[in-house]
Amino acid sequence: MANITSSFTQLLPVEDFVAGISTNRTGSYTYNGPEEFDVWVDDATGYVIKIDVSIDPSQGGQSRKTINAKDSSQLPMAYALSHQFVENYTWSHTYTDVTMSNGDVYKKMDNPDLRDVYVVAWNNVTSKWELEQIIKEVKNDNRDEAVRRRDFVKTYGDQYDFGDTVNTKISHYIAGIGTYLGNNPYYETWKYVTLPDSVGTIPKIPADVQIELQKVSIAGVGGNV
């Protein structure tokens, strides 16, 4: 089968590894490879597990699919899977240094290769190839703990009237947690060597509020602190 060379542009994420595709950020790429080639895909995930195959998979849960690089809708997927067809393939990344709040320096990719930010997947519902955005984990354990405490208090505060004094303390506590959460977002872990320390401390549940909550606490509703 003849090889082809075909160039194209592709919309990229607004920000690499964060959900959301831009309407104006693009990358330019050139495919060099066969007009079409077969791959094996995992039936459960749709992800490609072997490229340029000539036989059907021998085990269940896998299927053989064709990538048609002559089809403009499949060309980006063909490109993302085609690097093995190019001997000693390389991509010249450029980076911009971004200093994070804790002083760590994140090297932001200016020109990601397509497979840096997307993975090729077969959609079993539409029977079409797709580029699935690569999303990385955001994390802040302190924030998670603050949310857990807030939800515990709010669950019972919404269900019961504890009297003016305790009700007011519950409202102030939930507001205090809200302020804490505003100062402690989830962090994009790939941008840091060490995640930032907590800004402030997680507000503690007032003892008299905790006593009242325990009185009405039912196993399986709201949980315990």
Side-chain angles (χ1 to χ4, degrees):
M1 183 177 296
N3 278 12
I4 62 172
T5 298
S6 184
S7 297
F8 66 97
T9 58
Q10 178 67 36
L11 288 173
L12 297 172
V14 174
E15 182 176 356
D16 298 342
F17 315 124
V18 179
I21 306 302
S22 175
T23 58
N24 53 28
R25 183 188 180 214
T26 63
S28 297
Y29 309 96
T30 298
Y31 171 78
N32 292 287
E35 293 178 345
E36 61 181 40
F37 56 93
D38 288 357
V39 300
W40 291 350
V41 300
D42 181 282
D43 291 338
T45 64
Y47 296 149
V48 175
I49 54 178
K50 193 169 184 179
I51 302 169
D52 196 25
V53 299
S54 57
I55 60 174
D56 292 341
S58 59
Q59 64 185 64
Q62 300 175 359
S63 298
R64 180 178 173 183
K65 304 293 182 184
T66 299
I67 296 274
N68 181 2
K70 295 178 294 183
D71 181 342
S72 61
S73 68
Q74 297 183 39
L75 180 59
M77 296 75 171
Y79 170 82
L81 297 173
S82 70
H83 296 342
Q84 72 176 51
F85 300 131
V86 181
E87 187 175 359
N88 299 322
Y89 177 84
T90 59
W91 178 265
S92 297
H93 291 96
T94 61
Y95 300 91
T96 297
D97 286 351
V98 179
T99 301
M100 308 308 294
S101 60
N102 66 347
D104 286 351
V105 177
Y106 167 58
K107 291 191 174 296
K108 178 182 177 182
M109 284 189 294
D110 299 320
N111 60 332
D113 197 359
L114 209 56
R115 64 179 182 173
D116 290 328
V117 292
Y118 290 113
V119 62
V120 177
W122 175 259
N123 187 316
N124 287 309
V125 176
T126 63
S127 295
K128 292 181 178 180
W129 289 107
E130 295 180 345
L131 288 177
E132 181 177 307
Q133 187 183 357
I134 296 173
I135 308 297
K136 293 189 176 181
E137 177 190 26
V138 295
K139 183 178 181 180
N140 187 332
D141 292 340
N142 291 314
R143 182 182 177 88
D144 288 341
E145 173 61 19
V147 169
R148 188 185 70 82
R149 294 187 193 181
R150 179 201 63 190
D151 291 349
F152 170 74
V153 173
K154 191 173 186 303
T155 293
Y156 296 109
D158 288 347
Q159 294 182 62
Y160 296 94
D161 183 352
F162 295 98
D164 290 345
T165 299
V166 173
N167 287 345
T168 297
K169 288 188 176 183
I170 287 174
S171 295
H172 288 170
Y173 178 76
I174 292 173
I177 289 285
T179 298
Y180 178 86
L181 293 176
N183 292 326
N184 291 272
Y186 284 114
Y187 294 110
E188 295 162 340
T189 56
W190 61 95
K191 295 182 177 180
Y192 295 88
V193 176
T194 303
L195 292 181
D197 293 330
S198 173
V199 177
T201 57
I202 304 173
K204 296 179 180 179
I205 300 173
D208 50 349
V209 171
Q210 175 69 5
I211 290 170
E212 294 302 317
L213 297 183
Q214 292 291 358
K215 289 179 182 178
V216 297
S217 177
I218 301 173
V221 180
N224 295 288
V225 170

